[in-house]
Amino acid sequence: MENKEFLTQQLLWIVISIGISITISWFVPFPLSWVVIIGVFLVLSFYMRYRMMKKMGSGVGMFGSLSSPFSGNSVNYYCMSCGTKHREASCPRCGSKMKRVG
Ligand SMILES: [Zn+2]
């Protein structure tokens, strides 16, 4: 699930980069367009690195303090209507979405 999301994001970035290159080479004459494109990509990669670092930082913080349902095996849900222990969005036994954390 995470891998697929990562791949989609990578693909999106490739599409965006191609779009940016084409757009720039349309408006800026050839030798200069390369300089502009390289400059734009440098800024973009810095921005991405910054965003990734921020994301990772907050991820670590969340892992330490809050117990998110994605952060480990410590959280279990119990169905409110039949009491089945599960980790799905809805109960696999009766389909109820009502659940409590245990
Ligand atoms: Zn149930």
Side-chain angles (χ1 to χ4, degrees):
M1 204 162 74
E2 290 258 321
N3 269 336
K4 204 173 170 186
E5 200 173 296
F6 180 73
L7 214 79
T8 311
Q9 208 164 37
Q10 290 289 97
L11 235 105
L12 195 78
W13 271 105
I14 292 168
V15 171
I16 288 170
S17 352
I18 292 168
I20 289 169
S21 324
I22 290 169
T23 310
I24 289 171
S25 58
W26 260 341
F27 290 105
V28 186
F30 167 63
L32 201 72
S33 64
W34 280 94
V35 179
V36 176
I37 287 166
I38 288 165
V40 166
F41 279 113
L42 277 176
V43 171
L44 268 178
S45 68
F46 268 119
Y47 172 72
M48 282 299 285
R49 208 169 298 169
Y50 170 75
R51 246 183 54 153
M52 200 112 98
M53 256 158 67
K54 242 176 90 171
K55 207 171 166 183
M56 267 158 69
S58 70
V60 168
M62 221 164 77
F63 191 81
S65 56
L66 284 161
S67 52
S68 108
F70 311 104
S71 74
N73 298 315
S74 55
V75 179
N76 281 308
Y77 295 115
Y78 293 89
C79 177
M80 291 265 272
S81 37
C82 72
T84 304
K85 186 170 130 183
H86 66 89
R87 301 193 61 199
E88 317 290 317
S90 54
C91 176
R93 192 162 154 201
C94 69
S96 170
K97 281 193 166 61
M98 297 288 283
K99 64 199 174 201
R100 63 186 174 80
V101 181

